[in-house]
Amino acid sequence: MKIMSINCGSSSLKFKLFEMPEEKVITEGQFERIGFKEMGTYKIKFNGEKTESSLLLPDHSVAADHLLKDLIDKKIISSLDEIKGVGHRIVQGGKYFKESCIVNEWSKARIEELIDLAPLHNKAHLIGINAFEKALPNVKQVVVFDTAFHQGMEEEAFMYAIPYYWYSEYGIRKYGAHGTSHQFVANEYARLTNQDIKKLKIITCHIGNGASLCAVEYGRCKDTSMGLTPLEGVPMGTRTGNIDPTVVSYICQKENKDAYTVVQELNKKSGYLGVSEISNDARDLEEAYKKGNEKAILALHIQEKRIADYIASYYVYLNGCDAMVFTAGIGENSDTMRSRVCARLKVLGVEIDEKLNLDRGHPFRISTPNSKIDVWVIPTNEELVIARDTLRIINE
Ligand code: ADP
């Protein structure tokens, strides 16, 4: 059975078509520059061959229609009836969604209601859902939420110390993000080491362009570093992570800007990019680091210190920790980042084998037999979780 996994951003649409339950990727690719006046791009990989083309993409519907037509033209499928389900990644599920669910009027209305909390993302997701409903009217669609896993947090972890009615009236609280990834790699760790997730305390570190950590207790999220929005937590490619909110009013005053503009700068012009003044890309910073560029070194060290701070605080909150897992673009690929973070965790008994740490491309252990915490690198696979959940839910 073929299941399509879809991730719609404000100007992009990423897709992966799976043969399920075999979990085999049939084809994958993406559309970029949707909604622009100029040409957009369409990339698709099939049978090891990559093709790229330019086309006008006024909206997500055009992309969805083009994709479905191309699947037939390229003989990847012989008829649209072969696609039995479409699963969509949704960034913000608020308090409503503790797990994935079928797309219906109720779920669409809730996703729309939550646009305030994730303006760019939830709006794009809805456009994507509508585009596929139009293109494949008889196919069931499922929504999979980045926030669902984090709904396991207790009040003391998700509440901010704010006037209570901000929470009760406006829903201001920590929702977290990357939940699908944290849940996936925690479960993968248990599976790969033949242990019961219900007996494990794991700290998962999803370090990509966006970065978050999660304290996973017995398979449930106990705490996570992202907050109301993905701005909270550790510094990232272009985001500050935690910061004293007074900085916002101070910069507003100094530069005669409004709060919205300054918060945009905390989201888009800070983190690696802001401190290094070089790039938001970890690879560029590592290059500059090797050449001794002081700002690049500082940008990476600020992030690594904060990652270690979170790990230490989760170690305490979990009352010990069996394993740590690194994942996402930087977590999976940057041996130098892992090595420097783990060096800061010696006091917790973390010891890694620098040779093992050089591996990549599959799940592997990097800790030594003496290490008090088992440290692994496990590639994340959010699209697969979406396909799995979609298959399960359309069969229910
Ligand atoms: P997101 O999904 O949040 O956009 P990713 O998880 O794809 O981000 O991670 C992107 C980051 O991964 C970039 O900063 C990129 O430089 C980094 N990355 C990819 N490969 C490597 C590598 N070999 N060494 C260091 N960083 C890498």
Side-chain angles (χ1 to χ4, degrees):
M1 175 190 300
K2 292 181 178 60
I3 301 280
M4 181 74 89
S5 167
I6 295 290
N7 182 356
C8 276
S10 51
S11 65
S12 67
L13 186 161
K14 294 184 188 146
F15 60 89
K16 228 177 210 187
L17 184 67
F18 287 89
E19 186 64 51
M20 298 295 281
E22 295 82 353
E23 304 192 343
K24 189 176 153 255
V25 178
I26 303 168
T27 180
E28 62 187 296
Q30 63 196 77
F31 293 84
E32 276 159 3
R33 300 174 65 80
I34 298 175
F36 286 60
K37 281 203 191 95
E38 308 86 51
M39 294 293 234
T41 53
Y42 167 53
K43 294 179 193 162
I44 181 164
K45 195 165 116 189
F46 175 58
N47 269 346
E49 199 181 309
K50 288 184 193 167
T51 50
E52 186 172 338
S53 51
S54 298
L55 73 167
L56 271 180
L57 295 168
D59 57 42
H60 289 73
S61 258
V62 176
D65 288 340
H66 185 83
L67 170 61
L68 295 171
K69 184 174 174 298
D70 198 41
L71 293 180
I72 304 232
D73 289 351
K74 287 198 164 60
K75 300 196 167 43
I76 297 172
I77 54 174
S78 48
S79 139
L80 293 181
D81 295 340
E82 285 176 40
I83 301 173
K84 300 293 183 204
V86 179
H88 295 263
R89 174 203 179 202
I90 310 290
V91 162
Q92 181 56 264
K95 64 179 175 189
Y96 299 116
F97 300 100
K98 293 182 173 47
E99 52 193 35
S100 306
C101 72
I102 201 87
V103 170
N104 54 27
E105 287 314 311
W106 183 84
S107 52
K108 283 207 291 185
R110 298 291 82 71
I111 294 167
E112 184 162 13
E113 188 184 321
L114 292 164
I115 283 178
D116 266 1
L117 291 177
L120 292 180
H121 286 108
N122 272 32
K123 203 184 258 174
H125 301 329
L126 272 178
I127 295 172
I129 293 171
N130 290 331
F132 278 90
E133 273 186 339
K134 207 170 107 203
L136 298 170
N138 301 318
V139 175
K140 285 189 184 154
Q141 302 201 56
V142 167
V143 273
V144 180
F145 299 88
D146 279 14
T147 48
F149 182 54
H150 303 309
Q151 286 291 306
M153 280 186 283
E154 284 173 31
E155 243 178 352
E156 63 171 28
F158 73 66
M159 275 294 291
Y160 295 118
I162 48 173
Y164 194 86
Y165 80 93
W166 291 7
Y167 164 61
S168 53
E169 296 245 326
Y170 308 127
I172 305 289
R173 48 159 286 181
K174 198 193 263 193
Y175 293 102
H178 299 138
T180 316
S181 174
H182 289 294
Q183 186 174 21
F184 176 77
V185 297
N187 281 313
E188 276 295 280
Y189 170 77
R191 186 183 70 80
L192 291 162
T193 56
N194 268 322
Q195 300 184 78
D196 182 356
I197 185 88
K198 297 234 155 55
K199 295 190 175 140
L200 291 170
K201 299 176 195 177
I202 307 171
I203 298 173
T204 49
C205 312
H206 176 115
I207 316 293
N209 197 25
S212 68
L213 284 88
C214 190
V216 184
E217 184 180 58
Y218 313 136
R220 197 178 61 95
C221 167
K222 194 171 165 76
D223 203 354
T224 192
S225 61
M226 280 180 169
L228 175 74
T229 73
L231 184 55
E232 191 180 338
V234 297
M236 316 172 205
T238 61
R239 298 183 202 136
T240 51
N242 294 345
I243 192 168
D244 180 344
T246 314
V247 171
V248 177
S249 52
Y250 194 79
I251 294 297
C252 284
Q253 198 186 351
K254 286 279 173 199
E255 302 201 344
N256 196 22
K257 288 175 175 161
D258 60 16
Y260 176 82
T261 308
V262 178
V263 171
Q264 283 286 90
E265 289 177 30
L266 301 183
N267 264 307
K268 306 246 163 152
K269 296 194 174 164
S270 305
Y272 287 168
L273 177 67
V275 176
S276 74
E277 297 179 322
I278 296 174
S279 167
N280 67 326
D281 193 295
R283 281 164 292 201
D284 298 337
L285 262 62
E286 290 291 350
E287 275 299 310
Y289 190 107
K290 274 191 226 136
K291 291 182 187 142
N293 181 298
E294 284 177 13
K295 286 181 182 158
I297 295 170
L298 179 62
L300 288 167
H301 284 182
I302 296 174
Q303 188 194 43
E304 287 154 10
K305 176 204 177 280
R306 303 271 190 92
I307 292 173
D309 289 349
Y310 266 100
I311 292 170
S313 81
Y314 288 168
Y315 184 90
V316 173
Y317 195 38
L318 290 166
N319 196 17
C321 167
D322 302 298
M324 269 168 51
V325 180
F326 287 100
T327 194
I330 302 170
E332 289 168 30
N333 294 301
S334 178
D335 54 275
T336 42
M337 182 280 295
R338 292 191 300 257
S339 167
R340 293 191 299 259
V341 167
C342 290
R344 291 173 187 266
L345 300 170
K346 281 210 177 96
V347 67
L348 301 183
V350 170
E351 194 182 287
I352 67 163
D353 179 327
E354 293 295 351
K355 273 211 191 99
L356 295 180
N357 186 36
L358 295 177
D359 206 348
R360 79 162 53 154
H362 62 104
F364 55 95
R365 174 182 277 122
I366 61 172
S367 50
T368 66
N370 284 333
S371 181
K372 293 214 175 77
I373 300 179
D374 198 15
V375 188
W376 279 66
V377 176
I378 301 180
T380 194
N381 197 338
E382 289 153 293
E383 298 87 356
L384 178 59
V385 177
I386 294 172
R388 281 179 185 168
D389 280 11
T390 303
L391 177 68
R392 179 174 52 77
I393 289 169
I394 63 172
N395 280 337
E396 269 168 12

